[in-house]
């Protein structure tokens, strides 16, 4: 049999051998475990995950550079971004996946093959069409409001000018001439009406050029000129005045009309040498 004293001595020897190693292990500092996929010898899945993250980051950089370059040169014919230049920033920096050159080359080839533009869905196109139509309708409503404001302003201004012009017309004598001028001036519009009103108000400069002034108009202008004492310049060029209209204006001037008149322009009309 085995002596009990020998067994106890053997157990003490084993405990004596184990105690130093346990004490030594307890005195070592704690070591942080490496991140999965970044250890020296990771598993296949961890390695592929880490490599995929690196490739995705590099592809995002490439796409961002490509989009920026295309935005800066959108209309340059034949322009094509070189992905080798864009991806050069990430080369030589080291880091994860540095040794997997085949995967990086495959990623760049896939980026070159991918088209830069993406096809819009039917819903996106319909939404853009509705937005464009809404903006066009809004712009049309603004234009209509602006035209309405301009029409109202012109109408108010016309009423003010009409009051002055009517007062001047009422001073025309004889009554027959006054009635003729009233009927002639009332339907006038635009710049032609403004010119006639300026003549009625005896302004120093009256512009009636290129307004389609005819001989009938010239006869009415001659009547107004007989009651005008302040106009100094009267532009009647580039109209349809012939010899009859020119004669009516000349008769008014010979009768003392517009005594302050210094310049009368009748060029580019239909007046002959006899007019």
């Amino acid at each position: 049999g085995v002596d009990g004293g020998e067994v106890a001595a053997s157990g003490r020897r084993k405990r004596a051998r184990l105690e130093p190693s346990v004490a030594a292990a307890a005195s070592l500092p704690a070591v942080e475990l490496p991140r999965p996929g970044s250890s020296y010898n990771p598993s296949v899945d961890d390695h592929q995950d880490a490599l995929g993250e690196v490739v995705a980051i590099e592809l995002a950089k490439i796409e961002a550079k490509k989009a920026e370059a295309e935005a800066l040169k959108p209309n340059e014919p034949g322009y094509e971004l070189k992905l080798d230049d864009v991806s050069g920033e990430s080369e030589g920096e080291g880091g994860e996946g540095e040794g997997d050159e085949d995967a990086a080359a495959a990623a760049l080839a896939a980026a070159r093959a991918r088209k830069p533009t993406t096809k819009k869905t039917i819903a996106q196109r319909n939404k853009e069409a509705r937005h464009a139509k809404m903006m066009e309708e809004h712009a049309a409503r603004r234009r209509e409001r602006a035209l309405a404001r301009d029409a109202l302003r012109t109408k108010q201004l016309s009423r003010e000018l009409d009051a002055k012009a009517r007062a001047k017309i009422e001073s025309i004598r004889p009554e027959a001439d006054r009635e003729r001028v009233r009927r002639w001036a009332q339907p006038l519009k635009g710049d032609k009406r403004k010119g006639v009103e300026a003549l009625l108000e005896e302004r120093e400069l009256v512009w009636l050029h290129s307004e389609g002034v005819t001989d009938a108009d010239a006869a009415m202008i001659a009547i107004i000129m007989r009651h005008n004492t302040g106009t100094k310049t009267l532009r009647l060029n580039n109209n349809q005045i012939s010899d009859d209209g020119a004669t009516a204006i000349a008769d008014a001037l010979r009768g003392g009309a517009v005594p302050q008149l210094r310049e009368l322009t009748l060029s580019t009309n239909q007046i002959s040498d006899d007019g």
Side-chain angles (χ1 to χ4, degrees), residues 255-269:
V258 198
Q260 298 292 327
L261 188 65
R262 296 293 179 268
E263 181 180 352
L264 173 62
T265 306
L266 285 167
S267 59
T268 320
N269 275 285

Side-chain angles (χ1 to χ4, degrees), residues 36-231:
S38 63
S39 62
Y40 179 75
N41 188 20
S43 64
V44 175
D45 292 339
D46 290 341
H47 179 266
Q48 291 299 319
D49 291 342
L51 183 61
E53 292 179 6
V54 173
V55 172
I57 292 172
E58 295 301 320
L59 288 178
K61 292 180 181 179
I62 292 170
E63 292 298 329
K65 288 289 185 180
K66 187 174 181 179
E68 181 180 357
E70 288 179 351
L72 292 175
K73 297 183 178 181
N75 299 323
E76 185 173 335
Y79 172 73
E80 182 179 0
L81 181 66
K82 294 182 179 180
L83 292 177
D84 293 338
D85 298 337
V86 175
S87 60
E89 295 180 357
S90 60
E91 296 179 359
E93 294 179 356
E96 295 94 355
E98 184 177 3
D100 201 340
E101 296 178 358
D102 294 337
L108 289 176
R112 289 192 182 99
R114 187 163 52 248
K115 294 182 179 180
T117 57
T118 57
K119 186 177 180 180
K120 297 180 180 179
T121 64
I122 296 177
Q124 289 175 332
R125 290 197 296 268
N126 291 339
K127 183 177 180 181
E128 291 180 355
R130 289 194 300 270
H131 180 71
K133 184 178 180 181
M134 180 183 67
M135 295 302 295
E136 183 178 353
E137 292 175 352
H138 182 62
R141 287 194 295 270
R142 284 188 299 179
R143 288 194 296 269
E144 290 176 0
R145 288 195 294 268
L147 289 175
R149 287 194 300 268
D150 292 341
L152 180 60
R153 189 180 302 112
T154 302
K155 188 176 181 180
Q156 293 172 348
L157 182 61
S158 297
R159 283 200 297 266
E160 294 174 2
L161 294 175
D162 285 345
K164 297 177 182 179
R166 283 198 302 269
K168 184 64 178 180
I169 290 174
E170 293 303 320
S171 66
I172 294 177
R173 297 291 184 272
E175 185 177 350
D177 289 348
R178 181 173 65 246
E179 191 62 30
R180 289 173 61 193
V181 172
R182 182 188 294 116
R183 288 197 304 266
W184 168 73
Q186 189 61 37
L188 295 179
K189 297 180 181 179
D191 292 338
K192 187 175 183 179
R193 179 172 184 169
K194 292 179 182 179
V196 171
E197 289 171 345
L199 187 62
L200 284 166
E201 296 169 12
E202 303 183 19
R203 299 180 190 174
E204 292 187 358
L205 177 59
V206 176
W207 292 81
L208 277 168
H209 63 90
S210 304
E211 293 298 338
V213 177
T214 62
D215 288 339
D217 297 330
M220 297 298 102
I221 290 172
I223 294 175
I224 297 173
M225 290 172 63
R226 295 192 184 99
H227 299 80
N228 184 308
T229 59
T231 298

